[in-house]
Amino acid sequence: MSDRRCFRGVRWSLTWLFCLLPAWAQAAQPGEVIDSQVLKTFSAQAMNAGLGDQRSYIGAARCDVQLVDLTYATRGVHGEPATASAMLLLPEGEHCAGPYPLLGWARGTDTQRSSEQAQALLASGDSALLAFFAAQGYAVVATDYLGLGRSDYRFHPYLHADSEASAIIDSMRAARHLSATLGHPLSGKVLLAGYSQGGHAAMAAQRAMERDDAGEFDLVASAPMSGPYALSQTFRDSWSGTTAAGANALAPYLLAYALAGMQGVYGDIYQHPDQVFRPPWAALLDSDFPGPANLFDLLHRQALPAVTQIEQLRQPAFTRAFIDDPQNPFRQALARNDLLDWTPRTPTLLCGSQRDGVVAYANSQAAAAAFTARHAPVKLLDVSAQIPADVDGVHVHTSATAYLCLGAVRTQLFEPALGLR
């Protein structure tokens, strides 16, 4: 256990006794709360004032919401002890006495190493999770994943299904313990959802929870949204940087992140970054994925070549090997993290848009086809018709589809599953 945790004995007196134990006795169990802090309480009145015209679409806030920052124990990609941070949103107030269902939320792609969802909400005062779910009576726990936020992990295993799943499930264990400690009763009903990378992560968590933890969690509904479930096929289809909806300006950055993440997990993608990327961009694989800047800051400063120049980014030999060789290590790594070879048991809604220019809607279609062929309780929802015609494919993914899917998931899946309509 890190010296950082022992130093926190100033804050938690029992930790001093803990630090006297030998190292082998200090390993926290997955899901154990290591540290927590209540940061703020948002009042329903203030949230409603801030929503403005969005109240007609999102709905008026019913609950005050307590914002909690927590650190918890989880596992690394090889099962080794690790820590991660998460944001916990707890409803409260006279109209929201509980008990509350618990929503495990999987966040989208973030390249900023220090990114913490709890601190971001504290600074901005605004979050879709706050408005759509916590203020409506859902307890929400949103993991920052391994290698981001306050995690002690040395890298972020981007799109690695098993560690995405364990980070989410262990965050839900931590949330369950901490909610009880803070006097916020949970109903025992559990929900999963996530968007973009979070769609992939939420589906990975659903697979793991149904397979390994069904006796522990009463999972009543799951909503992976706009995620790359057919991961290896997605990269092959968009190797030029385009999807069926057009050019994806984020493609060079998502490729770099996936390469760095899979190298961290499997160790055989490249011996040196300049085997896959040309100089000077090869150096960014170790410094910026993750690093000090978020994805849109990287795009704004044009850290990598534009998508129309993506061949200037990759080494020609790597480009050819990925296309021509099914045994290419990167192709094999992506294939290990595909999510179509299982059968969901929980009612599941796959939401997305055919106009998505970042994560092709073909992912949702492929998942729905594979699962329904095996008689799984899965539905597919395309929100394209509700998106204005002048919204480009990148913004369809990063904003329009996200909000439309969040609303649809709450009203069409979660509320019926919880007996609320």
Side-chain angles (χ1 to χ4, degrees), residues 258-321:
L259 281 166
M262 296 301 172
Q263 172 66 17
V265 175
Y266 301 110
D268 63 352
I269 311 301
Y270 50 81
Q271 293 181 320
H272 192 274
D274 63 13
Q275 292 178 311
V276 293
F277 276 7
R278 302 186 194 196
W281 304 294
L284 300 184
L285 288 179
D286 291 333
S287 63
D288 280 16
F289 296 96
N294 68 37
L295 188 62
F296 292 97
D297 289 335
L298 291 172
L299 183 64
H300 180 71
R301 67 177 170 88
Q302 298 181 323
L304 297 177
V307 66
T308 54
Q309 302 168 315
I310 197 167
E311 294 308 327
Q312 296 180 14
L313 173 67
R314 296 188 298 241
Q315 291 286 8
F318 170 65
T319 293
R320 288 193 303 270

Side-chain angles (χ1 to χ4, degrees), residues 23-382:
W24 61 265
Q26 295 185 25
Q29 293 299 306
E32 181 180 332
V33 177
I34 294 174
D35 194 11
S36 66
Q37 182 179 8
V38 177
L39 299 178
K40 184 176 181 176
T41 297
F42 296 90
S43 72
Q45 182 179 8
M47 285 187 284
N48 281 325
L51 282 174
D53 293 341
Q54 289 184 319
R55 285 180 62 181
S56 62
Y57 169 62
I58 295 175
R62 297 189 299 109
C63 311
D64 300 333
V65 179
Q66 191 176 88
L67 169 63
V68 184
D69 197 358
L70 71 95
T71 305
Y72 64 98
T74 187
R75 295 150 284 179
V77 299
H78 303 297
E80 72 277 25
T83 65
S85 54
M87 172 177 72
L88 179 61
L89 301 174
L90 294 173
E92 58 185 20
E94 61 178 322
H95 301 297
C96 296
Y100 315 106
L102 177 63
L103 169 60
W105 174 259
R107 70 185 298 183
T109 299
D110 198 323
T111 58
Q112 187 171 31
R113 174 66 180 83
S114 61
S115 175
E116 292 183 52
Q117 294 172 95
Q119 294 297 331
L121 176 52
L122 181 65
S124 70
D126 181 42
S127 162
L129 296 178
L130 184 69
F132 275 102
F133 296 111
Q136 300 297 325
Y138 296 73
V140 181
V141 61
T143 180
D144 294 324
Y145 300 132
L146 289 172
L148 299 177
R150 290 194 313 283
S151 174
D152 63 359
Y153 212 59
R154 65 181 179 84
F155 72 100
H156 174 47
Y158 184 57
L159 296 173
H160 178 248
D162 287 346
S163 60
E164 287 175 333
S166 58
I168 293 166
I169 292 170
D170 289 338
S171 77
M172 298 178 78
R173 292 183 171 115
R176 190 169 54 193
H177 297 318
L178 190 55
S179 298
T181 300
L182 295 174
H184 291 71
L186 300 181
S187 69
K189 301 293 184 183
V190 167
L191 310 155
L192 288 169
Y195 189 84
S196 193
Q197 178 192 0
H200 184 270
M203 186 177 287
Q206 180 182 353
R207 179 179 67 174
M209 190 177 286
E210 290 185 2
R211 181 189 64 211
D212 303 328
D213 303 305
E216 180 182 355
F217 293 100
D218 182 12
L219 181 62
V220 298
S222 178
M225 295 172 266
S226 296
Y229 321 116
L231 188 62
S232 56
Q233 188 66 48
T234 295
F235 272 79
R236 292 199 301 275
D237 290 347
S238 61
W239 197 237
S240 66
T242 62
T243 70
N248 174 14
L250 301 180
Y253 303 88
L254 301 179
L255 170 62
Y257 212 1
L259 281 166
M262 296 301 172
Q263 172 66 17
V265 175
Y266 301 110
D268 63 352
I269 311 301
Y270 50 81
Q271 293 181 320
H272 192 274
D274 63 13
Q275 292 178 311
V276 293
F277 276 7
R278 302 186 194 196
W281 304 294
L284 300 184
L285 288 179
D286 291 333
S287 63
D288 280 16
F289 296 96
N294 68 37
L295 188 62
F296 292 97
D297 289 335
L298 291 172
L299 183 64
H300 180 71
R301 67 177 170 88
Q302 298 181 323
L304 297 177
V307 66
T308 54
Q309 302 168 315
I310 197 167
E311 294 308 327
Q312 296 180 14
L313 173 67
R314 296 188 298 241
Q315 291 286 8
F318 170 65
T319 293
R320 288 193 303 270
F322 182 83
I323 295 298
D324 296 338
D325 182 9
Q327 302 305 312
N328 173 266
F330 187 46
R331 278 183 63 166
Q332 290 290 300
L334 295 171
R336 292 187 189 106
N337 294 283
D338 285 336
L339 292 172
L340 305 185
D341 62 346
W342 65 292
T343 305
R345 298 195 299 269
T346 303
T348 301
L349 180 63
L350 298 169
C351 187
S353 169
Q354 293 191 56
R355 293 174 51 197
D356 192 323
V358 177
V359 179
Y361 186 65
N363 280 277
S364 297
Q365 293 173 312
F371 297 153
T372 55
R374 298 193 288 271
H375 308 291
V378 173
K379 294 182 179 179
L380 181 63
L381 177 63
D382 178 8

